[in-house]
Amino acid sequence: MAKADFYELLGVSKTADEKELKSAFRKMAMKYHPDKNPDDKEAEKKFKEINEAYETLKDPQKRAAYDRFGHAAFEQGGMGGGSPFGGGGQGFAGGGFSDIFEDIFGEMMGGGRGRRPSGGRERGADLRYNMEISLEEAYAGKTAQIRVPTTISCDVCNGSGAKPGTKPTTCPTCQGAGRVRAAQGFFSIERTCPTCQGRGQTITDPCTKCHGHGRIQEERSLSVNIPAGIEDGTRIRLTGEGEAGLRGGPAGDLYIFMSVKPHQFFQREGADLYCSVPVSMTTAALGGKFDVTTLDGTKSRVTIPEGTQTGKQFRLKGKGMPIMRSNQTGDLYIQIMIETPQKLTKRQRELLQEFDQISSKENNPESSGFFAKMKEFFE
Ligand SMILES: [Zn+2]
Ligand SMILES: [Zn+2]
């Protein structure tokens, strides 16, 4: 069945403007709306067709394609409902065209990313800034002042690139459209204008400060808030702090890549910290106390009981790293590493030898039977 003409469906002429289209669509949509016509299949079908017609004609690019090729312009993809009243169905934007169509008309339909015929507006580039901080700074958080080389919109010409008092002139090649049309076999293809790069305007009297670029290089000073507990590898995004856009386009973003320097005493695992503490053999055997300075600058006392073995962990609750966006903190684990005495004097050696002679299996339960147990296991 032949499809009804979109203009006829809406009851408007082929020269109808945006306003006429909209009001015609409203009227027709009200008339055939399913809520007003319960269980009326004809009305429902008509309602969908009206939607489809309006979706096409309200978009200047789709309308141009429809005017030139009729329904054939959209046939291959299967369009779906695309009702402005919600509900399912994919509209045009969801990829209604076949790949071939996308190739040929991609640019014309505005499918070409970036360079839309919008006066050559371009989003500024994103910037990356690498920042290295200490674990103490990551613990406390800080406000850092950074200097970022970037481009900003020229203040003399307000980004237009034209000398103040003069105006950019309409591009003679494309007459301001930003695009030029070239016939290529059966198709007529539109391309970005080579003279003005899509701007639609050329500058005859360039601004002396920015030489017509509309942007100037500058080093900017920014203050960056680094939250307490930030982790190595975190990216902080400062929206709109990247390079200025071109000709009124939006600015890019600035990404701060954080790295946290390794600490001499503390190893970090998520919110927890680990600290390896060497303890003399005698302290480990007899028990003792020592103080650990934590990242908040205070001292915490650790008491180790008699007979503490190497590798034993003691937890200092809440002495780890703050957890971002919460008021919680991780823990600090003290790992005991027993140091064997070296460079013994004659007297020390005698005492240790005497100690060894009077040692029993109960003093060293792990080592005394170990080799016997191993031998047994492998035989
Ligand atoms: Zn300027
Ligand atoms: Zn041009």
Side-chain angles (χ1 to χ4, degrees), residues 171 173-174 177-180 191-200:
C171 171
T173 307
C174 62
R179 325 183 64 72
V180 285
R191 295 204 182 288
T192 301
C193 171
T195 308
C196 63
Q197 278 83 42
R199 270 164 271 181

Side-chain angles (χ1 to χ4, degrees), residues 153-164 206-216:
S153 197
C154 174
D155 55 337
V156 172
C157 62
N158 287 319
S160 75
K163 199 174 200 165
C207 164
T208 47
K209 187 166 182 186
C210 65
H211 308 290
H213 297 297
R215 298 189 294 190
I216 45 170

Side-chain angles (χ1 to χ4, degrees), residues 89-350:
Q90 111 207 63
F92 273 121
F97 310 106
S98 75
D99 285 345
I100 296 166
F101 249 79
E102 196 73 83
D103 284 350
I104 300 171
F105 294 105
E107 260 212 334
M108 184 180 113
M109 299 298 180
R113 240 162 269 266
R115 284 202 178 271
R116 283 159 173 262
S118 53
R121 283 158 54 113
E122 253 177 72
R123 186 177 178 275
D126 290 337
L127 294 175
R128 174 183 175 145
Y129 185 94
N130 296 326
M131 191 188 293
E132 197 182 46
I133 57 170
S134 67
L135 190 63
E136 283 88 345
E137 289 171 319
Y139 176 88
K142 68 183 258 188
T143 304
Q145 298 295 327
I146 58 168
R147 295 190 68 78
V148 193
T150 185
T151 58
I152 59 164
S153 197
C154 174
D155 55 337
V156 172
C157 62
N158 287 319
S160 75
K163 199 174 200 165
T166 72
K167 276 198 175 123
T169 48
T170 304
C171 171
T173 307
C174 62
Q175 270 81 45
R179 325 183 64 72
V180 285
R181 196 167 285 188
Q184 205 166 81
F186 171 71
F187 296 110
S188 143
I189 297 187
E190 280 195 346
R191 295 204 182 288
T192 301
C193 171
T195 308
C196 63
Q197 278 83 42
R199 270 164 271 181
Q201 294 178 323
T202 50
I203 292 159
T204 34
D205 250 330
C207 164
T208 47
K209 187 166 182 186
C210 65
H211 308 290
H213 297 297
R215 298 189 294 190
I216 45 170
Q217 293 283 335
E218 209 193 61
E219 203 169 69
R220 255 193 322 162
S221 184
L222 285 172
S223 80
V224 186
N225 181 34
I226 297 160
I230 196 151
E231 291 193 37
D232 188 54
T234 306
R235 287 188 325 180
I236 299 174
R237 186 172 78 164
L238 302 180
T239 308
E241 298 288 5
E243 290 201 336
L246 259 180
R247 293 170 289 276
D253 299 332
L254 170 65
Y255 289 91
I256 314 255
F257 282 63
M258 300 299 304
S259 61
V260 180
K261 276 183 266 191
H263 194 271
Q264 197 180 348
F265 297 112
F266 300 112
Q267 282 88 49
R268 181 181 190 176
E269 252 174 61
D272 294 330
L273 291 174
Y274 292 82
C275 180
S276 183
V277 176
V279 166
S280 72
M281 180 188 76
T282 45
T283 305
L286 300 171
K289 291 181 174 65
F290 57 82
D291 288 334
V292 178
T293 307
T294 51
L295 284 179
D296 58 5
T298 64
K299 283 185 165 62
S300 287
R301 175 145 292 194
V302 181
T303 304
I304 61 167
E306 255 184 61
T308 294
Q309 302 296 335
T310 206
K312 169 83 183 165
Q313 279 189 357
F314 296 95
R315 184 168 74 145
L316 300 179
K317 210 169 176 311
K319 293 291 182 182
M321 297 295 286
I323 298 168
M324 273 203 287
R325 288 179 284 276
S326 81
N327 46 18
Q328 292 170 292
T329 21
D331 302 326
L332 169 60
Y333 290 91
I334 301 295
Q335 282 177 313
I336 300 299
M337 196 183 81
I338 293 166
E339 189 175 31
T340 307
Q342 305 170 66
K343 294 178 182 156
L344 301 175
T345 61
K346 191 162 171 280
R347 170 86 179 121
Q348 285 170 325
R349 187 178 296 272
E350 282 165 7

Side-chain angles (χ1 to χ4, degrees), residues 3-17 20-21 24-25 28 49-50 52-54 56-60 62-68 70-71:
K3 243 175 146 171
D5 180 78
F6 283 161
Y7 291 98
E8 276 174 29
L9 269 168
L10 294 172
V12 293
S13 73
K14 284 205 193 306
T15 53
D17 63 18
E20 284 175 69
L21 274 176
F25 167 69
M28 299 299 271
E49 287 175 334
I50 292 161
E52 191 188 329
Y54 181 63
T56 307
L57 299 183
K58 76 172 182 184
D59 182 327
K62 286 173 194 162
R63 185 174 176 177
Y66 179 75
D67 286 346
R68 262 148 104 196
H71 291 299

Side-chain angles (χ1 to χ4, degrees), residues 9 28 32 42-51:
L9 269 168
M28 299 299 271
Y32 291 103
E42 267 309 301
E44 196 188 316
K45 186 171 161 263
K46 190 96 180 200
F47 181 69
K48 279 185 182 156
E49 287 175 334
I50 292 161
N51 274 321

